[in-house]
Amino acid sequence: MKTEETNKLIAEFMGEKLPYKNEQNEWEFYVQGAGKISSTNIEDLFRFMGYNYHNDWNWLMGAVEKIENFGFEFFIVESRCRIANNTDKSIETIIDFEIIGTKIQATYKAVAEFIKWYNEQKSA
């Protein structure tokens, strides 16, 4: 999954206002103070919007906190992450992996994998 797609997935999970297609089949987004921004390329628009979940702890930790607020435990150790379900006091691991990379890359991937799992559970 590309960075822009993953950032969009996280942005949706976080309740961010996302671009929509207008009548001219262009992607459009309203930016406070700048007005409407439109583009035929959604990846360009997402870059412009500055979703920085992939490289900014301030953005990413909001998603981690939201996951924890749902009752899940989120463990981050070096380049390893584990998310466990503790909503009913029985610890069940949902996501558990290690990557070759940085701590933020591992956390970003864990958040994305959790959201995919979470969305599947909601639609089941």
Side-chain angles (χ1 to χ4, degrees):
M1 186 177 258
K2 291 193 217 173
T3 301
E4 290 84 10
E5 292 171 357
T6 304
N7 281 341
K8 179 181 181 284
L9 177 75
I10 298 171
E12 287 174 327
F13 177 73
M14 294 301 292
E16 297 280 345
K17 192 173 179 183
L18 297 173
Y20 57 91
K21 280 211 170 179
N22 62 22
E23 298 83 31
Q24 291 78 32
N25 208 29
E26 293 179 325
W27 290 99
E28 191 169 277
F29 185 74
Y30 181 80
V31 178
Q32 191 169 0
K36 287 184 183 175
I37 309 293
S38 61
S39 174
T40 55
N41 186 334
I42 194 162
E43 284 85 11
D44 289 342
L45 194 53
F46 277 125
R47 276 192 291 277
F48 172 80
M49 292 164 64
Y51 291 141
N52 289 315
Y53 295 103
H54 63 292
N55 64 8
D56 187 328
W57 280 110
N58 293 319
W59 281 77
L60 190 56
M61 289 311 289
V64 170
E65 288 175 356
K66 184 169 183 173
I67 292 168
E68 290 176 334
N69 286 338
F70 286 157
F72 294 88
E73 296 177 336
F74 201 118
F75 301 93
I76 307 166
V77 179
E78 297 170 349
S79 60
R80 297 184 312 269
C81 289
R82 182 168 61 93
I83 302 173
N85 184 352
N86 194 19
T87 56
D88 62 358
K89 304 298 181 216
S90 63
I91 307 296
E92 175 192 354
T93 299
I94 306 298
I95 306 292
D96 190 7
F97 68 90
E98 180 173 0
I99 68 166
I100 297 173
T102 66
K103 184 180 284 196
I104 195 167
Q105 290 169 332
T107 306
Y108 177 69
K109 177 144 177 65
V111 165
E113 292 302 316
F114 173 85
I115 294 169
K116 288 182 216 171
W117 173 85
Y118 183 78
N119 289 344
E120 287 174 8
Q121 303 308 304
K122 282 187 353 183
S123 64

